C-alpha cells in the first residue's frame, strides 16, 4: 500500500513541476515495483509496456484523426471563422460569454481543446480589450468552455473523454443523455454566473484589461472562409457519430474529407497541416498511454485488491466508487483521459459486471466516468499549463477562478449525476 501511495505522490509532484509524464510515469511505476518486491525490469518491459501499448493499439487511430481534424480546422481558418461569427452574434460587451460559447461550439464539434485555445486566443484578447475585462478571466473562461461540459458531459461529444468509456460499457457517445444535459447545464450556467460575478467584482475594484507583456503576432493576412461553410465539418462529425451511429473513426475521417473538399483552394497547405496534426497526435496519445501503463503496474501490486475493496465499499452505490476513482486518478495524472484510462483499465471490467448485477444502466456508468474525468483541473493539469503558457498568465492570477469553474462546480455536477443515476434517471 505504501508503494502505491509513494508512486502516486511522486507522479503528482513531478507532474506539478512540469516534468514530462513520458518518463515520470515509468519512473513512478519503477518505484512502485521496487517497493512492492516486484522485479523492476520485468515489470517495466512486461506489465508497464503492455498497458501502454494496449492503449495505443485501441485508441491511436482516434487520436490521429482527431488531431488532424483539429489542425486542418485551424490552418484553413475554419475554427477562426466560427469563433468570429459567434463572438459577433454575442457582441463585444459580453466578451466572456462570446469566448465561452465559441470555445464550446468548437470543442463539441470535435476540435481538440489545444487547437481551440490557439484559434480563439487572438479573438478573445481583442474582445476582452474592447470590453475592458481583466485578462485574469481569460484562463477560466477558456477552461469552462473547452475543458468541462463540452468535453465530458454533453451527450454526443466526439472528444476522447466521451469515447473511451464506450469500449468498457458497450455504449454510444449519446450515453446517459438526461444526466449529460443536466450536468452540462450545471457546469455551463454555474460557471458563467461565477465569471460574470467575478467580472463585476474586478471592475468595481478598478481592475480592467491590461496588455500582455508578450505581444501576440496577429495573423491579419489569413482570409477566413465563410462561417457556414466552416461549421459544416463540425456538423458532419457530430451528425454522423450520433445521428447515423457511425464509428468515431469514420465520422472523423469524413469530417476531414469535408474540410479538404470545402477548402480545396488551400490544397498546398494540406500536407503540412496533416503532418503537424499527426505529430501532435503521437505526443498526445503517448502522454495518456504512459499514465495508463502506470495504472497497469498498480493493478498487479497485491495491495491493489485492498484499494479496490475500499473503493467499492465507499458506498452501496458503485457509481460513487467509479466517480471517486476516475476523478482522483485524473487529478493525480493531470490528465482527464489519462486518469480515466488508469481507472477503467484497472476497474472497468468490475464496473461493467456491477452494472449487470446491480441493474444500473451501463449508460450511467459511461456518463459518470466522463464527467468525473473532467472534474479534475488541479494546478498540475497539462491542459491548464498549456493555457497559461499561451496567455502569459500565472496560477496565482487565475487558479482561484479556474478552481471554481473547472473543479468545484463540475464536482457538484458530478454529485448530481451520481444521484440521478442512483434513482434511475438516465
Amino acid at each position: 500500500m505504501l508503494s502505491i501511495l509513494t508512486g502516486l505522490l511522486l507522479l503528482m509532484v513531478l507532474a506539478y513541476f512540469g516534468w514530462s509524464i513520458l518518463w515520470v510515469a515509468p519512473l513512478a511505476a519503477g518505484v512502485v515495483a521496487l517497493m512492492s518486491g516486484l522485479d523492476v525490469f520485468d515489470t517495466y518491459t512486461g506489465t508497464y509496456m503492455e498497458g501502454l501499448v494496449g492503449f495505443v493499439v485501441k485508441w491511436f487511430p482516434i487520436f490521429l484523426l482527431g488531431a488532424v481534424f483539429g489542425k486542418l480546422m485551424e490552418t484553413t481558418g475554419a475554427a477562426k471563422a466560427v469563433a468570429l461569427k459567434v463572438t459577433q452574434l454575442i457582441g463585444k460587451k459580453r466578451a466572456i460569454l462570446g469566448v465561452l460559447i465559441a470555445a464550446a461550439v468548437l470543442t463539441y464539434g470535435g476540435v481538440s481543446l489545444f487547437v481551440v485555445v490557439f484559434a480563439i486566443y487572438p479573438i478573445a484578447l481583442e474582445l476582452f480589450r474592447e470590453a475592458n475585462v481583466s485578462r485574469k478571466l481569460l484562463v477560466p473562461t477558456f477552461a469552462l468552455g473547452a475543458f468541462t461540459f463540452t468535453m465530458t458531459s454533453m451527450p454526443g461529444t466526439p472528444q476522447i473523454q466521451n469515447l473511451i468509456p464506450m469500449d468498457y460499457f458497450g455504449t454510444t457517445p449519446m450515453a446517459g443523455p438526461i444526466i449529460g444535459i443536466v450536468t452540462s447545464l450545471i457546469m455551463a450556467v454555474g460557471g458563467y454566473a461565477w465569471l460574470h460575478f467575478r467580472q463585476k467584482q474586478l471592475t468595481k475594484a478598478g481592475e480592467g484589461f491590461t496588455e500582455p507583456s508578450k505581444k501576440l503576432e496577429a495573423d491579419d493576412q489569413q482570409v477566413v472562409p465563410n462561417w457556414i461553410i466552416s461549421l459544416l465539418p463540425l456538423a458532419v462529425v457530430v451528425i454522423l457519430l450520433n445521428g447515423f451511429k457511425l464509428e468515431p473513426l469514420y465520422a472523423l475521417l469524413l469530417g476531414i474529407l469535408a474540410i479538404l473538399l470545402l477548402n480545396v483552394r488551400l490544397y498546398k497547405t494540406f500536407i503540412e497541416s496533416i503532418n503537424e496534426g499527426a505529430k501532435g497526435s503521437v505526443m498526445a496519445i503517448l502522454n495518456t498511454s504512459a499514465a495508463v501503463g502506470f495504472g497497469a503496474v498498480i493493478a498487479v501490486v497485491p495491495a491493489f485488491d485492498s484499494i479496490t475493496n475500499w473503493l467499492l465499499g465507499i458506498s452501496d452505490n458503485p457509481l460513487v466508487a467509479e466517480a471517486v476513482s476516475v476523478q482522483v486518478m485524473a487529478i493525480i495524472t493531470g490528465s482527464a483521459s489519462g486518469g480515466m484510462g488508469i481507472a477503467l483499465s484497472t476497474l472497468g471490467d468490475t464496473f461493467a459486471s456491477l452494472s449487470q448485477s446491480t441493474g444500473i444502466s451501463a449508460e450511467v456508468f459511461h456518463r459518470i466516468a466522463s464527467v468525473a474525468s473532467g472534474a479534475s483541473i488541479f494546478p498540475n493539469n497539462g491542459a491548464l499549463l498549456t493555457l497559461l503558457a499561451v496567455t502569459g498568465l500565472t496560477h496565482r492570477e487565475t487558479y482561484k477562478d479556474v478552481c471554481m469553474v473547472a473543479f468545484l462546480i463540475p464536482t457538484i455536477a458530478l454529485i448530481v449525476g451520481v444521484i440521478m443515476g442512483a434513482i434511475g434517471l438516465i
Side-chain angles (χ1 to χ4, degrees):
M1 187 70 74
L2 181 61
S3 71
I4 292 174
L5 293 175
T6 303
L8 289 172
L9 182 63
L10 181 65
L11 186 71
M12 186 173 185
V13 170
L14 294 181
Y16 175 77
F17 285 107
W19 295 12
S20 173
I21 194 82
L22 287 177
W23 70 271
V24 167
L27 174 65
V31 169
V32 172
L34 184 66
M35 292 181 66
S36 301
L38 302 174
D39 185 281
V40 176
F41 182 78
D42 288 345
T43 300
Y44 175 70
T45 57
T47 307
Y48 179 85
M49 289 306 299
E50 285 168 9
L52 185 152
V53 172
F55 189 86
V56 174
V57 168
K58 282 183 182 178
W59 295 105
F60 179 65
I62 300 296
F63 273 80
L64 173 64
L65 294 180
V68 170
F69 177 79
K71 192 63 182 177
L72 285 169
M73 284 290 293
E74 180 186 8
T75 55
T76 59
K80 186 175 180 180
V82 172
L84 278 171
K85 188 60 182 179
V86 170
T87 53
Q88 286 170 6
L89 291 172
I90 299 300
K92 291 182 178 179
K93 290 183 179 179
R94 293 186 289 274
I96 291 176
L97 184 60
V99 174
L100 171 60
I101 294 177
V105 169
L106 290 174
T107 313
Y108 187 74
V111 180
S112 80
L113 51 90
F114 297 106
V115 171
V116 169
V117 170
F118 285 108
I120 298 182
Y121 177 56
I123 303 167
L125 205 60
E126 182 60 32
L127 287 172
F128 274 51
R129 182 184 291 113
E130 287 285 333
N132 195 30
V133 177
S134 173
R135 279 193 309 117
K136 290 180 181 179
L137 297 180
L138 266 174
V139 173
T141 301
F142 271 115
L144 177 60
F147 301 176
T148 59
F149 60 99
T150 50
M151 187 178 79
T152 61
S153 296
M154 286 186 70
T157 176
Q159 295 296 330
I160 192 69
Q161 292 80 7
N162 187 43
L163 301 182
I164 290 175
M166 293 165 52
D167 195 54
Y168 296 92
F169 302 115
T171 46
T172 70
M174 288 295 292
I178 298 175
I179 294 175
I181 291 169
V182 171
T183 52
S184 294
L185 286 172
I186 291 172
M187 290 187 224
V189 176
Y192 177 65
W194 173 261
L195 292 175
H196 185 65
F197 162 74
R198 285 286 290 146
Q199 180 188 350
K200 286 187 173 182
Q201 200 176 47
L202 290 171
T203 301
K204 188 176 180 180
E207 191 168 342
F209 184 85
T210 54
E211 292 293 337
S213 56
K214 188 171 103 173
K215 290 292 181 184
L216 187 69
E217 293 183 11
D219 188 8
D220 295 327
Q221 302 300 318
Q222 185 181 30
V223 179
V224 297
N226 180 277
W227 72 273
I228 296 178
I229 291 175
S230 301
L231 201 57
L232 288 176
L234 305 179
V236 165
V237 173
V238 174
I239 292 171
L240 291 178
L241 184 64
N242 300 293
F244 291 88
K245 309 297 181 186
L246 212 59
E247 286 290 327
L249 199 66
Y250 298 130
L252 285 168
L253 193 58
L254 290 171
I256 290 170
L257 183 60
I259 298 174
L260 299 178
L261 291 175
L262 293 169
N263 297 276
V264 69
R265 61 185 177 81
L266 301 173
Y267 69 93
K268 290 183 179 179
T269 67
F270 289 166
I271 293 177
E272 184 180 355
S273 298
I274 292 171
N275 287 347
E276 286 301 310
K279 289 177 188 176
S281 72
V282 173
M283 288 305 299
I285 194 165
L286 282 180
N287 282 333
T288 302
S289 55
V292 173
F294 173 76
V297 173
I298 288 179
V300 300
V301 174
F304 184 72
D305 289 338
S306 300
I307 294 177
T308 302
N309 293 332
W310 175 76
L311 281 170
L312 297 177
I314 288 178
S315 168
D316 292 335
N317 189 337
L319 294 175
V320 176
E322 183 189 41
V324 170
S325 58
V326 173
Q327 185 181 36
V328 168
M329 287 300 175
I331 288 171
I332 289 169
T333 59
S335 165
S337 56
M340 182 192 293
I342 290 177
L344 293 186
S345 65
T346 54
L347 292 169
D349 292 339
T350 302
F351 293 135
S353 63
L354 283 171
S355 170
Q356 296 176 351
S357 63
T358 60
I360 299 175
S361 171
E363 291 194 15
V364 177
F365 278 94
H366 172 135
R367 186 55 54 205
I368 294 304
S370 293
V371 175
S373 73
S376 60
I377 311 295
F378 266 41
N380 63 314
N381 182 268
L384 176 60
L385 292 173
T386 300
L387 186 50
L388 291 172
V390 171
T391 59
L393 294 162
T394 65
H395 281 103
R396 179 177 294 179
E397 293 172 302
T398 62
Y399 189 69
K400 170 186 173 181
D401 298 309
V402 170
C403 182
M404 180 61 71
V405 302
F407 175 66
L408 293 177
I409 293 175
T411 298
I412 292 170
L414 175 61
I415 293 169
V416 172
V418 168
I419 294 171
M420 291 176 67
I423 62 177
L425 283 174
I426 300 176

